Structure formats: C-alpha cells, structure tokens
Amino acid sequence: MSEPSPKPDLEDSINVTAAHDRLVREAAAAVREKRIDDSGSEPISLWVIAVCGVVFLIAGGILGGAGDLFNYGAVFKPGYVRTPPPGMEASGPAPKEALAAFMTRGSKIYSVKCNGCHGADARGDGANFPTLAGSAWVTGDTDRLAMIILNGLVGPMSSGKTYGGAGGMAAQGTGLSPEDLAGIMTYVRNNFGNSTGDVVTVEMAKNAMDISAARAKLGQQMTAEELAADHAKNLSGEPLDPAALVDPITLAPVAEATP
Ligand code: HEC
C-alpha cells in the first residue's frame, strides 16, 4: 500500500450524503458506548463491602454464640427412626443364607471366567485343562486357591501333571471384586461334587488380594513351588456361619429379619 497523501485526492469522488450519514451513525454509536448510567446499579465501593463484612461477622458471632442461629437440636430429634409407610416394611432384596448367596455370585463368575477352559461341569478336557472336581488345591488351603485364581498357574498342578503346556493357566484376577473372589472360591469348593461346606468370606478375599499384591513375584503365574513355600495355609478372617443371613447383592451379613 502506498502512503496516504496528506492532501485530499481531488480525483476521489465523494458521496457527501453517504459520508454524512456514516458520520452521524458513528457519533451516535460512540455516545451509546460511553454513556454513564445513573440507574443505581453502579458498583459499590470496596470499603462499603468491607464495613458490611465486619458488621456481619460481629452480628453472626453474637447471634451464633447465643445459640440462636444453627440450633440443630430444634430440628433433628435424637434417636429418630423413620417408620416405613404401611405395606412397605421390607425394603431391598430379601436376605439369603450365606452359602446360597455366595454360591449364586460364584456361579455367575464361573460361567464368565472359568467355564471356557474348565468346562460347565468343571471336569476339564483331560488334555489341556484339568478337572476342578475333587482337586486337592480347590478344596484345600484357601490361600493357595485364591493365589491360583488371582495369578494363574504354570507347571505341575496338584496331581503333579502339567496342563496347558508352557502357557499354563492365565491369571483371572482382572476385574474381580473381593465379593466376586469370595463367591467363586465358595462356589468351586461346594459344587461339582466338592463340598467343603464353608464360606470364603469377603474379608478373607480382601486379605487374599492384599497377599497377592505384596508378592515378590508380582505379575508372574504361581508355581507349585511358590504355593508350597508361601501359601499352604488358610486365609485369615472371621468365619461366617453358612446359614447366617446376608444381603444377596452386597453379601454383607444382615441382622435376623424381624417377622
Ligand atoms: C485360559 C484357560 C483357563 C481359565 C480361563 C481358567 N483356568 Fe484354571 N487352569 C487352567 C489350566 C491350563 C490349569 C493347569 C495349569 C498347570 O497345570 O499348571 C488350571 C488349573 C487350575 C487350578 C489348579 C487345579 C489343581 O488341582 O491343581 C485351579 C484351582 C483352577 N485352575 C481354577 C480356576 C478357576 C476358579 C477359574 C475361573 C476363575 C479358572 N481356573 C480359569 C486353565 C484355565
């Protein structure tokens, strides 16, 4: 672009009416933009806010200290228990006996996680996958069983035979909650002809997960050697009466239902 000439370009044709209109419009816009409103909604100056803050603080201290504000005792009655509306006494799913509830959870996990290899009847296939029916490591120490499920197994299994070739059994812990692990363990110990009759509790399953997470060989499959050295024991935890009532969803024990 060339420098604008200081002198008017006499060649330029100017539409005087249009130029005048534009001038008026722009002036009007400028007036609108710069208008100072006397509407009463101008910002309050900071010192007014500060003074109000101090006044409110003192007032709040006096009222609150006297116990006239925040008097929760007047609103919440101590020991208040909401009575359920008529016909709605029982809320949530009906409690179930622990063994049955844990088995139900376990059977779901079995069909998702174990069925594909060990088979619907848990008899394996005799070649690549071993049977879980009558397996000493299924019905034996719970720590050992938990470690096999969480970490997998390679090399000789309970019978001394090796299945699955060099791959063995892959870890199955991914996505299992303590409730799932407790369920699947209780299920395989009490199904397919196995009947230990006991419940592996959620607390025991949590302990198993802690033990597994603290392994020196973290992330590696279990071997018969490591199982014998570190896991030939039962998981610690309060035993649960198989007939005790639990919430079928959370598997948490519930108080005896009042008739
Ligand atoms: C991908 C296939 C596969 C899946 C899935 C699988 N397993 Fe296994 N499982 C095997 C193989 C293979 C072995 C034998 C490993 C060996 O010989 O070292 C085995 C061995 C076992 C053993 C040891 C048995 C014994 O007597 O020594 C137990 C217990 C076991 N599996 C439980 C389970 C459970 C419970 C699940 C489901 C949570 C499951 N497995 C899922 C393939 C699988």
Side-chain angles (χ1 to χ4, degrees):
M1 243 174 67
S2 57
E3 281 295 309
S5 138
K7 292 180 193 151
D9 182 354
L10 297 179
E11 298 302 307
D12 235 8
S13 60
I14 295 175
N15 183 337
V16 178
T17 331
H20 176 257
D21 275 355
R22 185 156 33 88
L23 192 73
V24 169
R25 252 200 329 276
E26 281 168 5
V31 167
R32 216 168 38 242
E33 293 296 320
K34 296 212 165 116
R35 186 162 55 210
I36 293 172
D37 265 320
D38 250 346
S39 64
S41 54
E42 302 80 21
I44 305 172
S45 57
L46 206 54
W47 68 266
V48 176
I49 296 173
V51 168
C52 285
V54 172
V55 170
F56 288 160
L57 261 183
I58 294 168
I62 293 167
L63 286 174
D68 292 335
L69 286 180
F70 322 123
N71 186 0
Y72 289 107
V75 181
F76 296 97
K77 299 181 191 138
Y80 175 76
V81 178
R82 191 167 67 100
T83 20
M88 294 276 294
E89 270 74 16
S91 65
K96 248 173 115 178
E97 287 195 357
L99 188 58
F102 278 64
M103 295 276 284
T104 304
R105 172 72 71 103
S107 91
K108 286 183 190 139
I109 306 296
Y110 187 88
S111 55
V112 176
K113 288 249 177 197
C114 323
N115 206 341
C117 292
H118 292 285
D121 58 1
R123 306 282 150 157
D125 64 356
N128 292 306
F129 308 118
T131 178
L132 301 181
S135 153
W137 284 359
V138 170
T139 55
D141 300 321
T142 51
D143 190 337
R144 189 199 288 116
L145 175 59
M147 290 310 120
I148 295 173
I149 296 171
L150 292 176
N151 300 285
L153 177 68
V154 68
M157 42 84 79
S158 64
S159 68
K161 280 183 71 179
T162 295
Y163 288 81
M169 169 176 154
Q172 301 297 319
T174 314
L176 284 192
S177 67
E179 289 78 10
D180 294 339
L181 179 59
I184 182 64
M185 290 179 69
T186 304
Y187 181 71
V188 293
R189 288 164 65 81
N190 291 285
N191 205 20
F192 316 119
N194 301 336
S195 58
T196 58
D198 57 1
V199 171
V200 176
T201 66
V202 175
E203 181 196 6
M204 293 172 191
K206 278 185 188 149
N207 286 336
M209 289 176 161
D210 290 345
I211 293 170
S212 180
R215 282 177 67 210
K217 295 185 173 175
L218 192 65
Q220 294 181 37
Q221 283 160 297
M222 282 289 162
T223 59
E225 205 180 11
E226 186 181 346
L227 288 172
D230 299 335
H231 305 288
K233 55 182 163 21
N234 279 321
L235 294 164
S236 57
E238 198 66 32
L240 179 62
D241 178 359
L245 292 178
V246 301
D247 181 312
I249 308 294
T250 65
L251 301 184
V254 294
E256 286 288 328
T258 41

